[in-house]
């Protein structure tokens, strides 16, 4: 089965693999992804960082055949896990923040309140001695 999958991937190429992944995971096409990017002015929907200023995160392992993989997306698809709907495109940091909060706005609000209330931070000794 693994060998069949490898042959299929080699036959269709990186762009079609990307299209298949977008459809399988989020039920969107590459054109819909690009339309979202344009609608968001190529920026993270939360922090506003432009995709050119985001370091692309390489995922997965290197190809065994040495061929180039598709360019990794700089803005990742954020989706609602319960309703299976795409919410927008985020940078990896904001996407991780949403995931770590378990998609619960109350946790994010509590985190913001904590940061805003932490005006007086307790200094700690440096390790340099």
């Amino acid at each position: 089965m693994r060998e069949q999958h490898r042959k299929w991937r080699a036959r269709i190429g990186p762009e079609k693999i990307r299209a298949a992944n977008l459809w399988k995971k989020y039920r969107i096409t590459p054109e819909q992804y690009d339309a979202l990017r344009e609608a968001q002015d190529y920026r993270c929907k939360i922090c506003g960082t432009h995709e050119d200023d985001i370091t692309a995160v390489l995922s997965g392992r290197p190809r065994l055949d040495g061929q180039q993989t598709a360019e990794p997306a700089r803005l990742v698809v954020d989706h609602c896990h319960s309703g299976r709907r795409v919410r927008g495109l985020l940078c990896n940091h904001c996407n991780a923040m949403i995931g770590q909060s378990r998609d619960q706005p109350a946790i994010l609000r509590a985190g913001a309140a904590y940061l805003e209330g932490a005006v007086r931070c307790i200094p700690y000794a440096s390790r340099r001695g």
Side-chain angles (χ1 to χ4, degrees):
M1 185 71 166
R2 184 180 296 166
E3 186 59 33
Q4 287 176 338
H5 192 247
R6 189 175 292 137
K7 287 179 182 178
W8 173 78
R9 290 173 67 90
R11 188 177 72 245
I12 69 170
E15 292 305 314
K16 288 189 179 176
I17 291 169
R18 177 178 174 257
N21 286 340
L22 283 171
W23 185 257
K24 181 180 177 183
K25 291 180 178 183
Y26 311 112
R27 294 293 191 245
I28 63 171
T29 65
E31 294 78 19
Q32 290 170 313
Y33 174 87
D34 290 337
L36 272 173
R37 286 175 58 224
E38 187 175 345
Q40 291 182 203
D41 196 28
Y42 305 93
R43 297 180 178 281
C44 172
K45 198 163 187 174
I46 292 176
C47 71
T49 302
H50 194 277
E51 68 179 7
D52 290 343
D53 299 326
I54 299 170
T55 303
V57 176
L58 298 173
S59 61
R61 60 183 183 271
R63 291 180 54 116
L64 295 175
D65 60 9
Q67 290 183 353
Q68 184 86 11
T69 57
E71 167 95 16
R74 296 180 189 281
L75 292 172
V76 298
V77 178
D78 176 50
H79 62 287
C80 173
H81 293 96
S82 60
R84 296 188 55 97
R85 292 187 191 147
V86 172
R87 293 187 284 220
L89 303 176
L90 305 177
C91 70
N92 287 308
H93 295 292
C94 290
N95 190 51
M97 175 182 63
I98 296 293
Q100 291 297 318
S101 73
R102 299 179 297 280
D103 287 359
Q104 295 181 24
I107 292 175
L108 293 170
R109 282 191 289 275
Y114 169 78
L115 287 174
E116 289 167 349
V119 177
R120 294 187 55 218
C121 297
I122 301 169
Y124 54 93
S126 69
R127 294 183 183 189
R128 295 184 183 192

